[in-house]
Amino acid sequence: MINYKTLPEFEKDFKSLLKRYRTLESDFETFKKYTIETFYEKNVPTTAFVPVEGFCGEEYVSNKVRKFACRSLPGRGSQSGIRIIFIWQEKSRTVTFVEIYFKGDKREEDRARLREVVKQIEEEKKCF
């Protein structure tokens, strides 16, 4: 079973996008069930997300979702322009959602935020 965590910043980003894209909440649940869980639970290959270079370690992998279908953006399919940044930790089987944004509003992920989360993960690892 996969554990899901979200950062407060992610929740703020999500609420902001939800005002513009009303189906985002159900689309996000579908994404978790059919993309993340099928990849990490059933080992079904996917091209929906790619690792973020420079933010991966032995205990975790940072990923950028590039294929996210949003029904509020008709005619775009999985190339909606919505990006999600998350970190997968194999040992604890945890997905931590770091950021969500629309590519038309923001060119790339907030690397400072991602760096901070990775730093926290590495510090937690040292404690054990």
Side-chain angles (χ1 to χ4, degrees):
M1 173 148 198
I2 295 177
N3 303 309
Y4 293 103
K5 292 178 8 184
T6 58
L7 296 180
E9 296 93 339
F10 178 87
E11 291 178 18
K12 183 179 176 187
D13 296 342
F14 192 86
K15 282 182 181 179
S16 173
L17 286 177
L18 188 58
K19 291 176 187 173
R20 289 172 35 196
Y21 310 112
R22 297 284 180 201
T23 63
L24 187 61
E25 202 160 18
S26 63
D27 296 334
F28 187 65
E29 291 303 316
T30 300
F31 162 75
K32 288 193 307 190
K33 183 176 180 182
Y34 292 106
T35 305
I36 291 181
E37 291 180 11
T38 56
F39 182 74
Y40 290 116
E41 295 284 325
K42 299 176 183 170
N43 298 321
V44 176
T46 185
T47 58
F49 51 85
V50 295
V52 178
E53 289 187 37
F55 294 96
C56 299
E58 292 177 23
E59 304 284 326
Y60 61 90
V61 177
S62 301
N63 292 296
K64 177 191 278 191
V65 177
R66 290 192 169 159
K67 294 184 178 179
F68 179 84
C70 182
R71 291 174 295 153
S72 293
L73 293 160
R76 291 186 167 202
S78 65
Q79 296 183 357
S80 64
I82 292 178
R83 301 290 190 251
I84 301 170
I85 309 300
F86 71 92
I87 298 175
W88 166 252
Q89 293 172 269
E90 180 68 44
K91 202 174 213 176
S92 62
R93 304 206 51 80
T94 303
V95 170
T96 304
F97 292 106
V98 178
E99 184 177 13
I100 184 169
Y101 63 94
F102 180 65
K103 191 177 170 192
D105 299 338
K106 190 175 174 182
R107 198 167 170 94
E108 60 182 42
E109 66 275 2
D110 184 349
R111 290 185 168 264
R113 185 188 304 180
L114 188 55
R115 191 174 297 114
E116 192 63 36
V117 176
V118 166
K119 186 177 170 183
Q120 289 174 358
I121 290 171
E122 289 178 347
E123 286 175 6
E124 287 174 11
K125 186 176 78 171
K126 289 178 185 176
C127 293
F128 293 105

